[in-house]
């Protein structure tokens, strides 16, 4: 308990950051619709966010090594705040795309600082409890960030300034903490090929996971607006997806530890296709039906990244875990960069249902690829444990490595 209290400043910074960064995506969509942006221009904003996210993941450890953790965190939050406050100064989608690069840079950079700080301070005895608390904080902040959209007016100075204030407020707990700054960790080598070598199915699965979550969270408000949801209802729509993902962690984790993880991925993708079909067919059945199907969509798609990561780590050594986690994050970022823009193009051409058609096609390809991989090699008998793997930074693998190794090496 004393340890968690000592980390309260870091966790509070994470919550404030989530409220700010998680709110800007759907707010940009609703604002873009009100300002007359095309769907493709709105999709470009979501893709730009993940371009900044990738840059931040790569650059943050280097900046920490140059100026320290607190100053790096301050620099990244400043970039995010500037991007937020600049929105209503220039009402142009391409200028907004540059601002969203800044917000993605802020998210990745700040999470890298927080996770490096946590990793340096926890011990083997407290790592599991600290990670459990961190996951709860991260998921709770993400859920609250979707709900905040219901009280923010689109295309408003006040709305973007409130998000900028939350981003600036994230500075206060971390910069005032009495915890001494840790030594800067070594930057993990970025070897995307490592994920493909250890598990081609896992690499493909994280791309499909990005196709699902990035397109839904960044372009989903367009779908919600097209089927007649209000801004407040869109907030519930997005929150239902996150809630479904949170509820799925324990049962899917139990299945992934008990059965062949390739079959778990195949069945999850099959269920995702079904949930996409149900979501489209339920669009005219009222808001409650739309919310329930969004929860089902989160239940089936959200755990895929964590199952894929666990499967990839089954074939990795302890020394490869940090770099493998970074490689999986790389492939997720690649999928997340292209998914929102592609989804917006398809919506423009074929209507709002095309969002879920695109996601269904991705999961269909994953099912076929998974079935071919079943014959490629036998599954591992002694496996790493399933853990919820946040898609936050390239350094998250350092926090999770010990948890995977301890169970994997148990007699």
């Amino acid at each position: 308990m004393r340890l968690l209290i000592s980390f309260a400043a870091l966790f509070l910074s994470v919550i404030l950051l989530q409220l700010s960064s998680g709110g800007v995506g759907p707010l940009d969509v609703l604002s873009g619709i009100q300002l007359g942006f095309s769907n493709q221009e709105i999709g470009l904003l979501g893709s730009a966010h993940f371009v900044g996210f990738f840059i931040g993941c790569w650059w943050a450890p280097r900046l920490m090594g140059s100026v320290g953790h607190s100053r790096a965190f301050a620099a990244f939050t400043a970039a995010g705040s500037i991007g937020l406050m600049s929105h209503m100064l220039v009402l142009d989608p391409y200028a907004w795309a540059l601002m969203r690069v800044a917000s993605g840079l802020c998210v990745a950079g700040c999470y890298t600082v927080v996770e490096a700080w946590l990793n340096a301070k926890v011990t083997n005895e407290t790592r599991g409890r600290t990670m459990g608390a961190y996951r709860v904080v991260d998921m709770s902040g993400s859920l609250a960030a979707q709900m905040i959209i219901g009280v923010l007016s689109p295309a408003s100075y006040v709305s973007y300034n409130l998000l900028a204030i939350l981003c600036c407020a994230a500075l206060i707990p971390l910069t005032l903490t009495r915890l001494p700054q840790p030594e800067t960790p070594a930057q993990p080598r970025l070897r995307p090929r490592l994920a493909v070598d250890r598990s081609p199915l896992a690499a493909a699965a994280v791309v499909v996971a990005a196709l699902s979550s990035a397109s839904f969270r960044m372009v989903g408000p367009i779908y919600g607006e097209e089927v007649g949801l209000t801004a407040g209802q869109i907030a519930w729509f997005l929150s239902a997806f996150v809630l479904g993902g949170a509820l799925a962690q324990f049962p899917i984790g139990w299945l992934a530890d008990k059965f062949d993880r390739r079959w778990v991925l195949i069945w999850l993708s099959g269920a995702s296709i079904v949930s996409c079909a149900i979501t489209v067919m339920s669009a005219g059945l009222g808001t409650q039906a739309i919310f329930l199907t969004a929860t089902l969509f989160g239940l089936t798609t959200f755990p895929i990244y964590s199952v894929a990561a666990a499967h990839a780590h089954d074939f990795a050594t302890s020394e490869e875990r940090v770099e493998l986690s970074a490689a999986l994050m790389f492939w997720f970022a690649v999928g997340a960069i292209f998914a929102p823009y592609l989804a917006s193009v398809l919506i423009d051409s074929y209507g709002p249902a095309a969002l879920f058609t695109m996601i269904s096609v991705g999961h269909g390809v994953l099912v076929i690829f998974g079935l071919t991989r079943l014959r490629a090699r036998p599954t591992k008998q002694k496996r790493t444990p399933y853990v919820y793997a946040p898609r936050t930074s390239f350094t998250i693998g350092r926090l999770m490595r010990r948890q995977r190794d301890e169970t994997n090496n148990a007699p």
Side-chain angles (χ1 to χ4, degrees):
M1 182 59 68
R2 285 196 300 270
L3 177 73
L4 293 180
I5 291 174
S6 71
F7 284 143
L10 298 179
F11 291 158
L12 180 56
S13 289
V14 168
I15 291 175
L16 292 170
L17 181 67
Q18 273 280 24
L19 290 173
S20 173
S21 63
V24 67
L27 180 60
D28 267 1
V29 175
L30 298 177
S31 299
I33 293 172
Q34 184 166 311
L35 293 171
F37 294 176
S38 69
N39 287 339
Q40 292 184 32
E41 289 169 341
I42 293 173
L44 179 65
L45 303 181
S47 295
H49 172 87
F50 286 102
V51 171
F53 175 83
F54 178 79
I55 296 171
C57 286
W58 175 83
W59 184 40
R62 292 165 173 80
L63 184 62
M64 282 192 299
S66 300
V67 302
H69 291 64
S70 294
R71 289 179 179 176
F73 191 90
F76 287 122
T77 52
S81 300
I82 290 170
L84 287 166
M85 289 187 291
S86 300
H87 271 70
M88 297 309 297
L89 297 178
V90 184
L91 302 182
D92 179 81
Y94 299 103
W96 280 26
L98 292 177
M99 299 169 197
R100 288 299 300 279
V101 171
S103 69
L105 180 73
C106 170
V107 172
C110 290
Y111 268 109
T112 300
V113 173
V114 169
E115 288 165 3
W117 210 317
L118 287 174
N119 184 67
K121 296 303 178 182
V122 297
T123 64
N124 294 340
E125 292 75 21
T126 60
R127 188 178 299 271
R129 283 169 288 170
T130 302
M131 277 301 297
Y134 180 55
R135 293 184 189 107
V136 170
V137 167
D138 178 65
M139 191 69 75
S140 300
S142 179
L143 185 62
Q146 310 311 311
M147 295 300 300
I148 201 174
I149 298 306
V151 298
L152 296 178
S153 300
S156 164
Y157 279 105
V158 174
S159 297
Y160 285 101
N161 283 346
L162 285 174
L163 293 181
I165 288 170
L166 288 170
C167 188
C168 291
L171 269 170
I172 299 172
L174 188 139
T175 52
L176 295 182
T177 180
R178 295 183 179 182
L179 288 175
Q181 292 193 60
E183 295 294 326
T184 303
Q187 164 75 350
R189 286 185 298 167
L190 185 55
R191 295 195 291 159
R193 179 76 187 182
L194 180 62
V196 179
D197 290 341
R198 293 299 167 266
S199 174
L201 178 60
V206 298
V207 173
V208 174
L211 184 76
S212 302
S213 66
S215 59
F216 184 86
R217 297 180 77 167
M218 296 296 173
V219 184
I222 295 179
Y223 175 86
E225 196 269 343
E226 292 278 355
V227 299
L229 297 181
T230 64
Q233 291 169 339
I234 288 173
W236 283 102
F237 179 61
L238 297 175
S239 299
F241 166 74
V242 177
L243 179 62
L247 295 175
Q249 294 307 316
F250 180 78
I252 298 301
W254 181 82
L255 291 172
D257 283 340
K258 189 173 180 62
F259 300 102
D260 189 331
R261 286 168 178 168
R262 295 170 296 183
W263 276 113
V264 175
L265 284 172
I266 291 169
W267 281 107
L268 276 175
S269 277
S272 298
I273 295 172
V274 173
S275 71
C276 287
I278 293 174
T279 300
V280 172
M281 290 187 294
S282 302
L285 300 180
T287 56
Q288 290 186 347
I290 293 174
F291 297 156
L292 287 173
T293 54
T295 304
L296 177 63
F297 181 74
L299 278 166
T300 55
T301 60
F302 209 94
I304 287 178
Y305 183 93
S306 296
V307 176
H311 179 61
H313 280 279
D314 289 343
F315 299 93
T317 64
S318 177
E319 292 74 22
E320 293 174 331
R321 298 212 185 282
V322 175
E323 292 181 0
L324 177 57
S325 295
L328 291 170
M329 279 290 301
F330 169 85
W331 288 114
F332 180 86
V334 169
I337 287 171
F338 292 100
Y341 184 73
L342 177 60
S344 65
V345 170
L346 292 174
I347 289 174
D348 258 353
S349 301
Y350 303 104
L355 168 65
F356 292 99
T357 301
M358 179 194 76
I359 294 172
S360 296
V361 170
H363 284 283
V365 172
L366 185 61
V367 168
I368 295 171
F369 186 52
L371 291 172
T372 64
R373 292 300 302 172
L374 286 171
R375 296 186 178 185
R377 62 181 173 187
T379 189
K380 294 277 286 188
Q381 298 301 314
K382 197 172 185 179
R383 298 182 293 176
T384 59
Y386 173 91
V387 291
Y388 164 58
R391 283 89 78 181
T392 48
S393 78
F394 286 170
T395 61
I396 188 66
R398 297 186 186 280
L399 278 167
M400 303 177 67
R401 176 174 57 184
R402 184 71 62 178
Q403 287 179 284
R404 297 187 189 278
D405 286 343
E406 285 176 351
T407 304
N408 197 43
N409 294 331

